[in-house]
Amino acid sequence: MIDDHLLRDLTPQILGVLVRRGADFAAAEDAVQDALIEAVRRWDGEAPDDPKGWLVTVAWRKFLDARRSASARAVREIAVRREPAPGATEQADDTLLLLSRCCHPALSPASAVALTLRAVGGLTTAQIARAFLVPESTMAQRISRAKRTLAGERFERPGDVRAVLRVLYLMFDQGFAGVNPGSNRSVGDADLAAEAIRLARQLVASVPRDPEATGLLALMLLHHARRAARLDASGGLVPLARQDRSRWDTAMIAEGVELLQGALALDRLGEYQAQAAIAALHDDAASAEETDWPQILEWFDELTRLVPDSPVVALNRAVAVGHVDGPLAGLRLVEQLDPGLPRRDAVAAYLYERAGDHTEAARLYAVAAETAPSLAERAHLVKQAARLHQARRAQS
Amino acid sequence: MAKYLLLKHYRGGPRPHPNAEGTMEEWTPEEITAHVAFMQQVADDLRERGEFVDAQALAPEGEFVRYDGEGRPPVTDGPFAETKDLIAGWMIIDVESKERAYEAAAYLSSAPGKGGEPLHEWLEVRPFYGEPSVVE
């Protein structure tokens, strides 16, 4: 068997070589995909001694073939700069270059995620299509549209790392899309959260002195460590407070904490580091009761300073205030937020329950269930309302 | 991205626009061809934009069936009553926003009918449930 990871690790490297030789991004990306397909076909279970050299040769030939057939009537000379094989530094630069290209602000977030998964992650269009539950032809169009959008953009300088971080965060946060315990996932399907972590690792290797890149990787690991405990056997959501903490991945938490400490030591705080710090404090508690809410609230205050206009941060901060200053203080903050804000009623229900008003809590859980954005959340909220109703019946 | 169902009803929607009141038999064959070609064009455009998921049409006949205990035949309440909601078919799209879903639905609803005029047919737009967020 050819190691799937070998091919996928090589994907951005080959693409980088082609782009540096003067190929435009869209054509180079197609050529690399063609070369990967040929590798799977021709290697016959065993990689050649120099798989990267083989792939570069084949991909470059594919690129030239496509170029020749595309401009058969007016053959244009292209400048081919023969370059020595790139060293580790150039590879790291290539990764950043390609990531910032795929996460270009001109692209919609969904297009950027799809293009990144293919061009840098080395996934096939079919795998990406399955992860997002759309036909392969639709995903192929989404990717080629994204490439058309990028055509003509200058491609020499690595772009905005912030844009890359946003796209990787989005990819990670959709991580459940690829993994549904209720469905039969076949081997080879994309696990979006794992992909996002893999790409964030490559990014951090490219920009080791960027504390927000490291902060984002830490944030991902600190959340991913809880994954086994987040869903029950039937795919239902298990809230943080009720998770079986013995199922958390302690090695992953340790790595996340170490990365976060390294990032914080650079003394340039940003939102991903602050979010990672909050996740680390949750991960650090042996039980829900032992959660260090005062320190979590301090980090929410930092986060509010960093992203003052985020209603989502304000809502989550209200939960922390509810734990530190009491549920009524938390509710006062929730009441100031836009009634249409997603999860607002769910948070209010939670705080009313903690305040002892179970009637209002049950009502709000039911209201929140009506507008839940996912079936798993709706089922969870309906169960909360049902639990409170059952308790009231038992009392009367 | 979020998925939306664009649901077309034979019956049961709000009061139809005058252009959508008649039946297709009253059109010319050319008008029917133009209508079908337009629907195909909408699907192709959505495909090209990377937004198309599925499109299906349903035959108008159908019966209600339910479990009625072991060893007893499934029960039906017979043919649909004239007033009952009747679904003609659907298109499923995967788009960036609700606004974009409405825009696509409006485009689909502008399909030409009699005299080549837009039908202004009502379409019901329903969001799919998404996946829960990973970051709590």
Side-chain angles (χ1 to χ4, degrees), chain A residues 158-275:
Chain A
D160 184 2
V161 174
R162 301 302 100 179
V164 177
L165 297 179
R166 265 196 305 279
V167 169
L168 294 185
Y169 179 88
L170 192 70
M171 187 190 295
F172 178 77
D173 199 31
Q174 293 175 325
F176 278 125
V179 195
N180 180 356
S183 71
N184 292 316
R185 275 183 77 227
S186 61
V187 176
D189 273 2
D191 175 341
L192 294 182
E195 284 305 319
I197 289 173
R198 198 170 146 263
L199 292 166
R201 284 189 192 284
Q202 292 181 13
L203 177 67
V204 168
S206 304
V207 286
R209 301 284 298 168
D210 186 315
E212 278 293 84
T214 308
L216 178 62
L217 176 57
L219 170 65
M220 289 176 178
L221 293 170
L222 292 165
H223 277 280
H224 204 61
R226 301 182 207 138
R227 178 142 88 168
R230 278 210 68 190
L231 297 177
D232 62 26
S234 56
L237 279 181
V238 184
L240 188 52
R242 290 169 185 267
Q243 286 174 17
D244 175 1
R245 293 176 187 230
S246 70
R247 297 181 68 195
W248 289 359
D249 185 333
T250 48
M252 202 179 281
I253 291 171
E255 190 195 353
V257 168
E258 196 184 324
L259 283 165
L260 175 62
Q261 283 167 345
L264 291 174
L266 294 172
D267 207 20
R268 275 176 289 144
L269 190 59
E271 57 176 307
Y272 296 117
Q273 295 167 75
Q275 282 196 65

Side-chain angles (χ1 to χ4, degrees), chain A residues 125-126 128-130 134-145, chain B residues 43-44 46-54:
Chain A
T125 304
I128 303 167
R130 279 202 297 277
V134 298
E136 190 177 341
S137 58
T138 294
M139 189 51 75
Q141 280 300 332
R142 205 175 279 177
I143 291 169
S144 60
R145 268 178 81 92
Chain B
D44 287 347
L46 290 167
R47 260 188 212 100
E48 201 275 326
R49 291 178 63 109
E51 295 176 334
F52 179 85
V53 179
D54 186 38

Side-chain angles (χ1 to χ4, degrees), chain B residues 7-11 57-60 84-90 124:
Chain B
L7 204 54
K8 179 176 163 157
H9 299 251
Y10 282 125
R11 281 197 305 265
L58 294 173
K84 210 162 279 180
D85 185 14
L86 191 52
I87 291 168
W90 66 76
E124 190 181 358

Side-chain angles (χ1 to χ4, degrees), chain A residues 4-291:
Chain A
D4 178 46
H5 276 102
L6 169 68
L7 282 181
R8 293 180 43 202
D9 287 343
L10 287 173
T11 301
Q13 297 180 31
I14 313 299
L15 187 53
V17 172
L18 263 61
V19 168
R20 243 182 302 111
R21 283 185 181 178
D24 73 273
F25 176 75
E29 212 273 326
D30 285 336
V32 171
Q33 287 292 320
D34 289 344
L36 291 173
I37 290 165
E38 191 153 328
V40 171
R41 199 160 51 81
R42 295 254 307 266
W43 289 4
D44 198 24
E46 200 173 334
D49 292 338
D50 178 14
K52 185 175 168 182
W54 190 96
L55 282 165
V56 167
T57 305
V58 172
W60 185 246
R61 203 179 61 229
K62 298 269 184 200
F63 165 72
L64 291 177
D65 288 350
R67 178 120 201 163
R68 269 186 215 105
S69 57
S71 54
R73 279 168 299 171
V75 180
R76 256 198 312 142
E77 279 298 308
I78 50 162
V80 178
R81 285 179 293 139
R82 288 278 167 205
E83 291 190 16
T89 315
E90 280 169 315
Q91 271 177 28
D93 288 349
D94 281 351
T95 302
L96 179 59
L97 199 69
L98 296 172
L99 275 174
S100 55
R101 184 68 167 181
C102 294
C103 302
H104 196 281
L107 299 175
S108 72
S111 303
V113 167
L115 186 58
T116 303
L117 285 169
R118 202 175 104 146
V120 192
L123 293 177
T124 64
T125 304
Q127 284 174 315
I128 303 167
R130 279 202 297 277
F132 290 102
L133 302 174
V134 298
E136 190 177 341
S137 58
T138 294
M139 189 51 75
Q141 280 300 332
R142 205 175 279 177
I143 291 169
S144 60
R145 268 178 81 92
K147 290 200 289 191
R148 277 204 303 281
T149 303
L150 294 179
E153 302 262 353
R154 300 279 291 170
F155 195 21
E156 279 79 30
R157 281 179 41 230
D160 184 2
V161 174
R162 301 302 100 179
V164 177
L165 297 179
R166 265 196 305 279
V167 169
L168 294 185
Y169 179 88
L170 192 70
M171 187 190 295
F172 178 77
D173 199 31
Q174 293 175 325
F176 278 125
V179 195
N180 180 356
S183 71
N184 292 316
R185 275 183 77 227
S186 61
V187 176
D189 273 2
D191 175 341
L192 294 182
E195 284 305 319
I197 289 173
R198 198 170 146 263
L199 292 166
R201 284 189 192 284
Q202 292 181 13
L203 177 67
V204 168
S206 304
V207 286
R209 301 284 298 168
D210 186 315
E212 278 293 84
T214 308
L216 178 62
L217 176 57
L219 170 65
M220 289 176 178
L221 293 170
L222 292 165
H223 277 280
H224 204 61
R226 301 182 207 138
R227 178 142 88 168
R230 278 210 68 190
L231 297 177
D232 62 26
S234 56
L237 279 181
V238 184
L240 188 52
R242 290 169 185 267
Q243 286 174 17
D244 175 1
R245 293 176 187 230
S246 70
R247 297 181 68 195
W248 289 359
D249 185 333
T250 48
M252 202 179 281
I253 291 171
E255 190 195 353
V257 168
E258 196 184 324
L259 283 165
L260 175 62
Q261 283 167 345
L264 291 174
L266 294 172
D267 207 20
R268 275 176 289 144
L269 190 59
E271 57 176 307
Y272 296 117
Q273 295 167 75
Q275 282 196 65
I278 291 165
L281 286 164
H282 281 298
D283 287 349
D284 193 42
S287 68
E289 293 69 33
E290 290 166 70
T291 306

